[in-house]
Amino acid sequence: MKIVILERNSVGTDVSVDEVRKFGDVTIYDNTVTIGEVRERVKDADIVIANKSPLREETLKDAPRVKLICEFATGYDNCDLEYCTARGIRVANVRDYCTAMVAQHTFTLALALSQKLIHYDNYVKSGQYSAQSRFSNFDLPFYELEGKTWGIVGMGNIGRRVAKIAETMGCRVIFHSITGRSSCTEYPQVDKETLLTESDFLSLHCPLSNLSRNFIDGEALRKMKNTAVLVNVARGGVVDNAALYEALEAGGIAAAGLDVVEKEPLEPENPLSRVKDSSRLIITPHLAWASVEARKRCVEEACLNIAAFLRGEMRNVVNP
């Protein structure tokens, strides 16, 4: 069994991938980006492990032995499922390995923005606090979560975890299902307009699809409260970045916390790169999922997917 890991570094060099070796002859690449690299590196593989590398007809057509693609991720939009299914190639993802960390990061962003933590940390470290005569400083107003409305888009495992935390912190929780097929009954399901107009905090936890792309666009932002905080830990394409920039500059919403942007890494051309005020915008480099514990679980779960496949079981296969 020949196994190729195309993006070993996607789980971090501090996390071992040696467990994969028990399944066969493993070739490991730190990163694989171009079409040519993918095509050359998978041509003799039986199993391909990837994250973002494009796996579709142009990269797989000369790889007749590939039987399984394992994602070091929950997302699988790097794969052409229609082509893989036609070829008899199974695609398996890793599920629920980073729920706790993404929920934690959601509140890290929301609290840092609503409490202006970076501003106040800079105030102390700049020497301004030491130079004043009074014991405290609160020149930028900040607010409690207690009594606020927390809106959620995407009530899967992560959305439900966020809802529980928000509820514990005293928030009223509402949610919107983009597909309209949510089975969640614990919290009120509302239409998009209600979600936008009533949410004090709005966090996004939905996959990227034709339905969710640019879900938060200029029109949506204009319906939100000018005191609202937006948090996107889903996919960059769920938010129109140019529209968000305009809303932040115009004071249409109070702040945004992003772990994802439309094209990653963040390009200088993205207008959000011009916002330097961390009391209005915090961007982290797509790391909400990436605690040490979560990355270890990611590798472990991928190995369980391979083991199941070799036993003839369809564990976490997205195109059975």
Side-chain angles (χ1 to χ4, degrees):
M1 186 67 63
K2 186 172 178 55
I3 302 171
V4 174
I5 300 177
L6 292 177
E7 297 159 278
R8 184 263 175 276
N9 288 358
S10 68
V11 292
T13 56
D14 57 330
V15 169
S16 174
V17 297
D18 287 345
E19 188 180 354
V20 178
R21 297 188 186 279
K22 67 185 181 184
F23 299 111
D25 177 22
V26 180
T27 302
I28 298 175
Y29 299 97
D30 291 344
N31 199 25
T32 302
V33 178
T34 69
I35 299 295
E37 286 176 337
V38 178
R39 184 187 297 121
E40 178 63 25
R41 292 174 179 181
V42 304
K43 65 181 181 181
D44 297 320
D46 298 291
I47 296 174
V48 176
I49 300 176
N51 186 305
K52 301 296 183 189
S53 296
L55 294 166
R56 48 186 186 255
E57 183 174 8
E58 61 185 324
T59 55
L60 294 170
K61 63 182 180 180
D62 297 322
R65 294 169 51 182
V66 174
K67 304 176 185 68
L68 175 67
I69 295 170
C70 267
E71 297 282 5
F72 269 162
T74 299
Y76 45 87
D77 47 308
N78 61 312
C79 295
D80 182 338
L81 289 188
E82 185 176 351
Y83 174 77
C84 288
T85 302
R87 276 275 310 272
I89 300 171
R90 301 305 184 198
V91 178
N93 68 345
V94 177
R95 302 176 188 178
D96 203 26
Y97 72 101
C98 61
T99 297
M101 187 62 236
V102 177
Q104 179 177 314
H105 196 68
T106 299
F107 284 90
T108 299
L109 290 171
L111 292 170
L113 288 162
S114 63
Q115 294 178 212
K116 313 299 182 187
L117 291 185
I118 294 177
H119 166 77
Y120 287 113
D121 181 58
N122 289 336
Y123 184 83
V124 173
K125 289 177 177 173
S126 69
Q128 294 180 79
Y129 182 46
S130 298
Q132 71 178 41
S133 59
R134 63 193 185 281
F135 79 96
S136 183
N137 178 61
F138 38 87
D139 58 315
L140 284 186
F142 53 93
Y143 303 92
E144 301 174 358
L145 264 66
E146 179 84 25
K148 303 299 188 299
T149 295
W150 190 292
I152 293 173
V153 178
M155 195 58 93
N157 290 331
I158 295 171
R160 288 172 191 250
R161 181 73 65 93
V162 168
K164 288 180 180 178
I165 297 170
E167 191 173 38
T168 299
M169 298 186 79
C171 292
R172 165 188 175 239
V173 175
I174 59 175
F175 81 97
H176 175 74
S177 171
I178 291 178
T179 64
R181 297 195 300 267
S182 176
S183 62
C184 179
T185 57
E186 297 95 326
Y187 305 99
Q189 184 173 173
V190 300
D191 59 30
K192 183 176 181 179
E193 182 156 356
T194 301
L195 178 89
L196 296 170
T197 58
E198 294 190 5
S199 294
D200 298 295
F201 294 85
L202 177 57
S203 60
L204 309 177
H205 309 285
C206 54
L208 182 62
S209 68
N210 290 334
L211 290 175
S212 65
R213 188 177 300 278
N214 288 333
F215 180 81
I216 301 297
D217 56 10
E219 181 181 359
L221 288 159
R222 285 188 290 274
K223 292 180 179 179
M224 292 177 67
K225 298 180 181 181
N226 60 11
T227 55
V229 174
L230 174 70
V231 177
N232 186 12
V233 291
R235 288 290 184 264
V238 178
V239 176
D240 182 329
N241 285 190
L244 176 58
Y245 170 77
E246 292 175 4
L248 289 170
E249 290 296 291
I253 64 172
L258 310 177
D259 186 55
V260 288
V261 291
E262 284 179 334
K263 187 170 182 182
E264 298 170 348
L266 178 68
E267 296 181 314
E269 293 79 16
N270 188 320
L272 293 174
S273 67
R274 302 199 291 268
V275 181
K276 306 303 181 184
D277 180 2
S278 295
S279 66
R280 291 190 296 135
L281 176 66
I282 296 176
I283 303 177
T284 52
H286 204 147
L287 53 70
W289 63 279
S291 65
V292 172
E293 297 91 340
R295 288 183 284 118
K296 286 180 178 178
R297 284 193 294 268
C298 183
V299 175
E300 291 164 2
E301 287 291 310
C303 288
L304 290 173
N305 287 343
I306 294 172
F309 180 80
L310 295 177
R311 294 193 303 267
E313 300 170 9
M314 299 293 102
R315 184 180 192 269
N316 292 340
V317 171
V318 300
N319 63 335

